[in-house]
Amino acid sequence: MSRSKTIDILLSFSPEELKAMSAFIKSPYFNTNKNLVKLYGAFKKALPLISGDKITEEDIFRKIFPGKKFNYGIMKNLTSSLFSLLEEFLLFNTVKNSPEKKFDNAITLARQYDSRFLDSFFYRVMKKQRVEMKSGKVYPGLYRDLAELEEQEYYFHSSRTDDISLQNAVYKEAIYSIADMTRKFSRSLWKMQIIEGNVNSKHEIEIKKIIAENINFEGMTENLRGTDEKTYANIKINSLLIKLLTDGSDISHFNSIMELLNKNIEMYENYERFSILSKIISYCAVMYEEGRTEFLPRSLVIQKMVLEKVRFMEEGLGPFNFHNFIEIAQKFIHEDQISEAEAMVKNNISILEDDKQELASRLIMASVYIERGEFEKSIEEIKTIKPHDTFVKMMVRKIYIKAFYELGSFEQGFDMIASFNKFVREKKDLDEYTKNTHLNSLRIFEKLFKMKCSPDKYTLNGVASLEKEITENNYVNKKWQLSKARELKKLIR
């Protein structure tokens, strides 16, 4: 049987939706054509056979009109009518069951009561909605919805000559609109920042510059101190997120937002919580790349907050990003927080996709064993890994190089450095910053190997020069390489 729009929709239905559609199509309020009920029933039973072309339109037609000759026109009209009913069902079912539509439904109901002058019913709906929204978590569209709620209150009182209530509604609508606008500005600017970084280009209109020069979010926020605590904190946090982009060199904005989040992070729902923390982590990464090394431990504080406060694979979020997970563990190791890296494997590995969990565990534990001096164990962890992407291939090579260095396996180490160097130079999907930092790091690795392999050929001045080069540059594996250079002082006289 050839695929059609009707079939495509039916094949997308869950068992629960197929059952609900049966009730929907049988309801005389939505459908009075009994042949459509029969057609739906026939399609429903035939779904397992449709994709394999084991049933035809003629077969379906005979189930609706037994003994009648197949009529393409009738079948086409019935299928078209069923398609319209399926679309109507999708809308109805979404409005009925989607949590996101709960607010829209309440507003629609309130408007109906308003237009019918059923004032007590209107107040009941509005009060219930207001209490739920103010007592619940801050979700992405909360202040947009609160502004709309107050706008509806305004329309209600404008037809009842209640000027005091009218004034209160307008005032609250304005406050909530500012909160919503500040979040939208914050979100849009950060999306621009991320996209510009990914594509390495800027739009001809410099939005960040325009906002920085023309909108005083800081002053506006300070003048709103009289609003409720939750709304004020939310406006302040989003204003500071904007400041991190438009005036990022002033770290007082970072300190202020961290102070606010430590007090208020629980007020946000899951997705919004992750969104805000991710932006601050991105800011820390930019500052670190600019040479502000103190932002590495600061970013780890926020990463811990993400792991503790955000729930992945539920409430609007999918699994945690595999590469980010590994990088966080590497940062913990870099900062000598080995137990934190191990805790990630023990307590947080389940937030990754199932097929990534063992790989992440092996990569992290291999790095942990390097730090503990258990080099054979480190090699055992990675020797069965079959790298599936550039990130993993590079990490496995770095672990091998460190293990070979510590074990004195110089020939294997030099071979690995050479192949790694060739790999980095030929990889077209690496940006210039990543390529250059890795090539410089490999050059340092090679010098370390040569000095350890033939200490009699080098002097302490040569070691001091190497130590100075590592110290002054932000190379990959900088901390580890610096410690190895200092160890060479005991070997070279």
Side-chain angles (χ1 to χ4, degrees), residues 100 136-142 183 230 234 264-277 309-311 314-317:
E100 292 82 7
K137 302 284 188 185
V138 176
Y139 58 87
L142 173 65
R183 181 196 178 272
K230 187 177 184 179
N234 187 62
N264 297 288
I265 191 66
E266 297 289 350
M267 79 177 184
Y268 291 100
E269 60 87 52
N270 198 46
Y271 176 84
E272 194 75 349
R273 198 176 296 183
F274 176 70
S275 178
I276 291 170
L277 293 174
K309 302 291 186 181
V310 177
R311 294 176 297 282
E314 58 178 291
E315 295 185 37
L317 288 177

Side-chain angles (χ1 to χ4, degrees), residues 208-409:
K208 278 192 293 183
K209 184 179 178 182
I210 292 170
I211 288 174
E213 292 177 352
N214 294 282
I215 303 179
N216 183 6
F217 282 103
E218 194 171 18
M220 182 174 64
T221 303
E222 285 306 308
N223 285 308
L224 290 171
R225 274 189 180 276
T227 59
D228 68 271
E229 187 177 342
K230 187 177 184 179
T231 300
Y232 176 75
N234 187 62
I235 294 173
K236 181 80 172 175
I237 286 168
N238 278 294
S239 295
L240 287 167
L241 284 173
I242 294 169
K243 277 291 185 181
L244 292 183
L245 287 177
T246 59
D247 188 22
S249 59
D250 185 349
I251 64 168
S252 68
H253 304 312
F254 171 82
N255 295 331
S256 296
I257 199 169
M258 288 309 300
E259 183 181 347
L260 274 168
L261 283 175
N262 283 326
K263 294 177 183 176
N264 297 288
I265 191 66
E266 297 289 350
M267 79 177 184
Y268 291 100
E269 60 87 52
N270 198 46
Y271 176 84
E272 194 75 349
R273 198 176 296 183
F274 176 70
S275 178
I276 291 170
L277 293 174
S278 296
K279 292 176 177 70
I280 304 172
I281 291 168
S282 294
Y283 169 77
C284 289
V286 170
M287 296 298 284
Y288 181 73
E289 285 181 10
E290 291 178 357
R292 301 292 296 269
T293 55
E294 73 271 22
F295 275 90
L296 178 57
R298 288 178 178 181
S299 73
L300 286 177
V301 172
I302 308 165
Q303 297 284 14
K304 283 184 187 178
M305 196 181 293
V306 170
L307 294 174
E308 291 170 4
K309 302 291 186 181
V310 177
R311 294 176 297 282
F312 293 90
M313 292 187 281
E314 58 178 291
E315 295 185 37
L317 288 177
F320 195 87
N321 182 276
F322 167 77
H323 293 164
N324 290 348
F325 191 85
I326 301 295
E327 285 175 353
I328 295 168
Q330 290 296 307
K331 289 174 183 176
F332 278 130
I333 291 169
H334 181 275
E335 293 297 301
D336 296 323
Q337 299 182 42
I338 310 301
S339 60
E340 293 289 350
E342 282 189 285
M344 287 182 67
V345 174
K346 183 180 178 181
N347 303 324
N348 304 112
I349 205 79
S350 61
I351 67 178
L352 299 176
E353 294 173 277
D354 291 343
D355 63 343
K356 299 287 197 309
Q357 292 178 17
E358 183 182 355
L359 176 59
S361 176
R362 286 187 176 279
L363 288 170
I364 292 169
M365 290 310 300
S367 297
V368 167
Y369 288 137
I370 288 286
E371 296 301 314
R372 286 185 175 164
E374 300 177 77
F375 310 118
E376 289 88 354
K377 277 189 177 182
S378 178
I379 291 174
E380 280 296 313
E381 286 289 345
I382 59 173
K383 72 179 184 180
T384 58
I385 290 176
K386 295 179 181 178
H388 66 287
D389 65 14
T390 300
F391 174 87
V392 176
K393 288 175 183 176
M394 292 172 72
M395 185 171 179
V396 167
R397 283 173 165 86
K398 282 182 274 189
I399 293 170
Y400 268 124
I401 289 171
K402 290 179 182 179
F404 289 151
Y405 180 89
E406 300 286 11
L407 292 168
S409 302

Side-chain angles (χ1 to χ4, degrees), residues 380-488:
E380 280 296 313
E381 286 289 345
I382 59 173
K383 72 179 184 180
T384 58
I385 290 176
K386 295 179 181 178
H388 66 287
D389 65 14
T390 300
F391 174 87
V392 176
K393 288 175 183 176
M394 292 172 72
M395 185 171 179
V396 167
R397 283 173 165 86
K398 282 182 274 189
I399 293 170
Y400 268 124
I401 289 171
K402 290 179 182 179
F404 289 151
Y405 180 89
E406 300 286 11
L407 292 168
S409 302
F410 300 121
E411 186 176 346
Q412 290 170 291
F414 283 122
D415 287 344
M416 183 61 70
I417 291 170
S419 68
F420 196 179
N421 201 308
K422 184 173 183 291
F423 175 83
V424 172
R425 290 182 186 281
E426 293 179 354
K427 260 296 174 184
K428 294 181 180 179
D429 59 341
L430 291 177
D431 60 75
E432 284 303 308
Y433 174 82
T434 303
K435 187 171 284 193
N436 289 333
T437 53
H438 276 82
L439 289 174
N440 285 325
S441 180
L442 286 169
R443 186 168 48 77
I444 300 297
F445 271 129
E446 188 172 23
K447 287 184 179 181
L448 288 168
F449 266 86
K450 286 179 178 178
M451 288 182 174
K452 187 177 181 182
C453 179
S454 305
D456 54 311
K457 294 182 179 179
Y458 296 91
T459 64
L460 285 175
N461 285 338
V463 176
S465 176
L466 178 61
E467 187 179 351
K468 183 173 183 290
E469 182 183 356
I470 298 170
T471 302
E472 292 177 353
N473 292 279
N474 197 23
Y475 296 151
V476 179
N477 305 294
K478 176 178 179 175
K479 188 173 182 180
W480 185 88
Q481 290 178 336
L482 192 59
S483 70
K484 298 304 130 183
R486 287 168 179 165
E487 287 176 9
L488 286 172

